[in-house]
Amino acid sequence: EKSENFTVPRLFFFVPFRASRMSDARINTLCTKENSMQTRKSLKQQAKLNLKKHYLIFAALCLIAGFIGSEFNSSLTIISSTNSETAPSDVASVAAIGPKLGMGDVIADIFSGNLEEGSQKASSLTASIVEQSKENGNPVFGRSRGVFSSLINSVTSGSLLVNIAMAVQSIIKSHNATVAILILFGALIFCGGWFLTINVYPVISRRMFLEGRCYDEVHVYRSLFLLKIKRWIRAASTMLLYRIFQYLWWITIIGGIIKHYSYYMVPYIVAENPDIPPRTAIRLSCRMMKGHKWECFVHTLTFIGWNILGFATLGLSNILFTNPYKVAFFTEYYAQLRQLAKDNQIENSHLLNDDYLYIKADRESLERVYSDVAAATAQPAAKLTELKGIQKFIADIFGVTFRSSKKEQAYRQDQARRIRVAREIEALESKAYPTRLSPFPSEEKRDWIGSVHYIRHYSIWSVIMIFFTLAFIGWLWEVSLHLITDGEFVNRGVLHGPWLPIYGTGSVLILLLLNKLRKYPMLEFISATALCGCVEYFTAYHLEMTHNGQKWWDYTGYYLNLDGRICAEGLLTFGLGGMLIVYVLAPILDNLIQKISRNILIPLCAALIILYSCDQLYSSKHPNTGKGITDYTASVAYYLEI
């Protein structure tokens, strides 16, 4: 019997003895199943292509979800097992001061009104943690000095809660009211943080996966799209109702399993249109999944091999591949179900109206809304044609010129303009999602962008002045800190003059060596942190080697330190400070320096260099030492005794 369905011969191949007796309905059923498998295969192929295109950001999104507890918690098995073996034990710290004393005892004293006794127990517990860190803890995870250590110790010992309770009780003069306020305050902080972050995070990640399936560029700043369109609270409310409904259905067990798949598309729906009312979004997901729940379940089962591999690798394969692969696959599946819903005109499917998540806009539409950008791209880029040879090489690689001219200023303004429209150009060229065609268009004019032109060339005189200015600011910063904490003036640093060259050197190195990364803030931050960490570590090492082990700074006891030469607090400060320097301080200083006459600027730079060189020569024989400068052995001992 002939058939126009070309799948039939394949079916006869698999069942040769019963094929002639099959009904047409049976054949159509098998053909449908085979087509479904082909569809699943194509969805997975497309998901892999999308993942390959945006691997770093997709993997990072899923890793963050696991860390904050939004999704994929079990994938962090390898991290948890490592921490359990290497991290310092707070239980041991508690045991050192008594078998029954712990944070629970401190909390019990708070609720019973014995705040003084609770404060004493918290202090004893803190002292035990510090002592345990000194004797048996991993040196990298020091807990005896620094802001990070104090914060962690105050939380783990309960001293933070005691201080809050004492402050509240001193105001309202009532123990019961204090306890009630603490409970309410803690609940609000926890619930509010969960509501605004963990609860809404799946919407953020799904939005970025949706944009990544159609476009070549997905920038980190798109994670704030809910904030830009002022729909963060609306999306969080929808996700909260979705979770409440799901939790209530899980009470019935069977209903929970069914509704798990009925509500499966809610995060995707909210990611596409966060303005949909919460109950409408949930009902729309149920209608989209009607007749597809079993199919979705089977899709989930096809990842069982990857799940087994994740278990065998303690979650490592999940972190590196499986989790983003799953989300990419179900993003494709959502796009398929969305199209079916619109084709079948199911109720409220018209609310899924962000069409440019799935198709690229035509050139005419893009040019119409990005007309100003189209005009900007038509303008030729400014070039410094007078720079040649070594001067051009230094200007291109390090962003430094030996003189400032009108052409250089024009080049700087052109670079600022190009940065200002770079993202719009990507949208115009269909490389990134066109926000101006979104149902929630962002503001087309952002005056704050480009107000400080950080893409620029610095003259050699500006570099010299920036070095001395930031070296002086660093010296002023450390002197002020010592003045506040110890109540006395201390001339900080190896040199005798009012400058700390490590601050100036780090700032100049960030400007010069990371010149090419200014267009990429995240890479700039990571690179600045690493660069400053290397500078600080090897500077400390050099000073210790050349001055018989004498230390001018020592982070021993700080949380996450390396040989006492660098620590997490310092690196974080340097990273944030580097961003501030690159994008704000250095451009502002350069603008001010350019206003100084060259007849004054050049002699000023020469005088500063001469004074600095004399200080270096003198300090190499007679370095600045003394109390508050190099007495770190005594300081560390003092902190460990507290």
Side-chain angles (χ1 to χ4, degrees):
E1 184 176 78
K2 295 183 180 181
S3 172
E4 294 181 1
N5 191 332
F6 293 99
T7 311
V8 173
R10 294 185 63 185
L11 296 175
F12 281 130
F13 176 80
F14 286 111
V15 282
F17 298 107
R18 299 186 60 186
S20 60
R21 296 167 57 184
M22 278 186 184
S23 64
D24 290 341
R26 176 63 173 165
I27 291 175
N28 289 336
T29 300
L30 291 177
C31 289
T32 301
K33 289 183 178 180
E34 186 178 34
N35 290 336
S36 176
M37 292 297 293
Q38 291 293 329
T39 301
R40 184 183 305 123
K41 182 178 180 180
S42 63
L43 291 178
K44 287 191 173 184
Q45 289 175 343
Q46 187 59 44
K48 289 178 181 178
L49 290 175
N50 294 338
L51 180 58
K52 181 180 180 180
K53 186 168 54 175
H54 304 290
Y55 175 75
L56 287 178
I57 193 167
F58 282 3
L61 286 169
C62 295
L63 181 61
I64 293 172
F67 269 116
I68 67 176
S70 177
E71 300 174 279
F72 313 123
N73 306 57
S74 60
S75 301
L76 302 181
T77 304
I78 186 171
I79 298 176
S80 301
S81 61
T82 302
N83 286 342
S84 64
E85 295 175 1
T86 61
S89 173
D90 289 338
V91 175
S93 300
V94 174
I97 61 173
K100 295 183 179 181
L101 181 58
M103 184 176 177
D105 299 280
V106 177
I107 295 176
D109 286 333
I110 293 174
F111 285 102
S112 62
N114 301 323
L115 297 183
E116 292 294 337
E117 186 175 349
S119 179
Q120 294 176 2
K121 290 181 179 179
S123 298
S124 300
L125 191 56
T126 301
S128 175
I129 293 173
V130 171
E131 186 65 25
Q132 184 70 20
S133 173
K134 173 187 174 183
E135 295 180 355
N136 304 318
N138 188 326
V140 175
F141 296 92
R143 296 280 292 274
S144 59
R145 298 172 59 207
V147 177
F148 284 179
S149 297
S150 299
L151 178 60
I152 294 172
N153 292 344
S154 66
V155 173
T156 57
S157 67
S159 62
L160 179 63
L161 291 176
V162 173
N163 292 335
I164 293 174
M166 294 178 72
V168 173
Q169 185 162 319
S170 66
I171 296 174
I172 62 178
K173 309 297 182 181
S174 171
H175 168 67
N176 292 334
T178 299
V179 172
I181 290 174
L182 286 176
I183 294 174
L184 180 61
F185 178 76
L188 287 175
I189 292 296
F190 175 81
C191 294
W194 178 88
F195 176 75
L196 294 173
T197 55
I198 298 174
N199 173 50
V200 79
Y201 187 81
V203 175
I204 296 171
S205 64
R206 267 46 173 196
R207 175 70 189 198
M208 299 186 76
F209 270 87
L210 282 169
E211 292 188 9
R213 67 178 299 275
C214 191
Y215 297 98
D216 296 332
E217 300 292 339
V218 181
H219 295 287
V220 175
Y221 81 94
R222 291 297 296 161
S223 62
L224 301 176
F225 84 100
L226 289 174
L227 197 61
K228 276 183 168 292
I229 64 177
K230 301 179 181 180
R231 296 296 189 280
W232 195 289
I233 301 297
R234 187 65 175 266
S237 301
T238 301
M239 291 299 293
L240 176 62
L241 186 64
Y242 147 75
R243 293 178 188 277
I244 291 174
F245 281 6
Q246 196 172 51
Y247 174 78
L248 293 176
W249 276 110
W250 274 113
I251 297 176
T252 66
I253 302 178
I254 299 298
I257 297 174
I258 295 173
K259 292 300 180 182
H260 170 73
Y261 292 100
S262 294
Y263 299 162
Y264 207 86
M265 296 301 162
V266 171
Y268 296 93
I269 292 171
V270 181
E272 178 173 350
N273 185 359
D275 225 17
I276 297 179
R279 293 178 66 89
T280 302
I282 294 172
R283 285 195 294 266
L284 181 56
S285 176
C286 292
R287 295 189 181 101
M288 291 175 65
M289 293 300 294
K290 186 176 181 180
H292 296 281
K293 290 187 284 293
W294 176 257
E295 181 183 54
C296 186
F297 171 71
V298 174
H299 287 338
T300 305
L301 287 182
T302 61
F303 289 92
I304 192 169
W306 291 107
N307 294 333
I308 294 173
L309 179 62
F311 178 79
T313 59
L314 299 178
L316 184 60
S317 64
N318 291 339
I319 293 173
L320 297 178
F321 180 77
T322 307
N323 293 339
Y325 177 35
K326 284 182 181 178
V327 179
F329 170 80
F330 283 105
T331 299
E332 291 297 319
Y333 186 50
Y334 165 75
Q336 183 186 63
L337 293 186
R338 175 191 182 273
Q339 188 59 49
L340 286 174
K342 295 183 79 67
D343 291 343
N344 296 328
Q345 297 182 348
I346 69 171
E347 186 178 355
N348 293 321
S349 61
H350 67 281
L351 297 175
L352 303 175
N353 56 0
D354 200 345
D355 295 333
Y356 295 113
L357 279 175
Y358 309 93
I359 58 172
K360 293 184 177 181
D362 60 272
R363 185 69 183 183
E364 182 180 352
S365 298
L366 289 171
E367 289 181 348
R368 174 173 49 82
V369 297
Y370 289 97
S371 57
D372 57 322
V373 178
T377 57
Q379 299 180 18
K383 296 182 180 179
L384 294 177
T385 55
E386 70 272 18
L387 295 180
K388 297 179 180 179
I390 188 66
Q391 291 187 18
K392 186 177 186 303
F393 174 80
I394 294 175
D396 290 340
I397 301 301
F398 301 108
V400 176
T401 58
F402 293 94
R403 60 182 178 178
S404 180
S405 64
K406 292 183 178 180
K407 289 185 178 180
E408 201 282 328
Q409 293 176 1
Y411 172 81
R412 178 182 307 171
Q413 293 175 357
D414 180 71
Q415 288 295 307
R417 175 184 61 82
R418 294 171 68 83
I419 289 296
R420 190 164 52 246
V421 300
R423 291 169 181 170
E424 281 78 6
I425 290 175
E426 290 182 347
L428 177 63
E429 296 177 349
S430 297
K431 293 181 180 179
Y433 175 78
T435 56
R436 296 187 187 181
L437 290 175
S438 167
F440 307 95
S442 302
E443 293 180 3
E444 296 186 5
K445 185 178 181 181
R446 303 180 179 92
D447 294 334
W448 57 272
I449 295 180
S451 59
V452 178
H453 307 326
Y454 54 86
I455 300 297
R456 61 173 66 201
H457 290 152
Y458 292 91
S459 70
I460 188 65
W461 310 114
S462 288
V463 172
I464 294 172
M465 291 302 298
I466 287 172
F467 169 83
F468 284 109
T469 301
L470 293 175
F472 172 73
I473 291 175
W475 175 84
L476 195 63
W477 165 259
E478 294 210 8
V479 167
S480 300
L481 283 179
H482 202 86
L483 186 64
I484 293 171
T485 56
D486 296 335
E488 59 182 350
F489 174 82
V490 175
N491 183 22
R492 299 283 294 151
V494 182
L495 306 181
H496 292 78
W499 38 50
L500 289 178
I502 190 171
Y503 284 87
T505 302
S507 301
V508 170
L509 287 177
I510 290 174
L511 286 177
L512 272 56
L513 298 184
L514 307 183
N515 171 52
K516 293 292 188 179
L517 300 181
R518 293 178 198 168
K519 296 180 181 179
Y520 313 102
M522 183 57 68
L523 285 178
E524 182 79 25
F525 171 75
I526 296 172
S527 301
T529 302
L531 177 61
C532 290
C534 292
V535 170
E536 186 177 31
Y537 184 90
F538 288 108
T539 300
Y541 179 81
H542 171 73
L543 290 173
E544 291 171 24
M545 295 299 102
T546 56
H547 293 84
N548 299 320
Q550 186 73 64
K551 294 179 180 289
W552 273 264
W553 61 85
D554 189 356
Y555 298 117
T556 300
Y558 279 66
Y559 190 68
L560 294 177
N561 76 86
L562 182 60
D563 298 331
R565 298 187 178 112
I566 57 175
C567 69
E569 291 179 36
L571 294 180
L572 181 61
T573 301
F574 283 133
L576 296 175
M579 299 289 282
L580 182 65
I581 290 166
V582 169
Y583 297 107
V584 181
L585 286 180
I588 292 175
L589 287 173
D590 188 40
N591 291 341
L592 295 174
I593 293 168
Q594 288 185 34
K595 295 180 181 180
I596 303 175
S597 170
R598 291 174 62 88
N599 295 331
I600 299 176
L601 181 61
I602 295 176
L604 178 60
C605 290
L608 288 172
I609 292 174
I610 292 172
L611 290 174
Y612 178 76
S613 301
C614 292
D615 195 353
Q616 282 279 14
L617 289 174
Y618 179 78
S619 299
S620 64
K621 300 293 184 180
H622 309 283
N624 184 30
T625 59
K627 183 179 179 182
I629 303 173
T630 56
D631 56 339
Y632 282 97
T633 303
S635 298
V636 172
Y638 170 77
Y639 278 104
L640 292 176
E641 289 172 0
I642 294 180

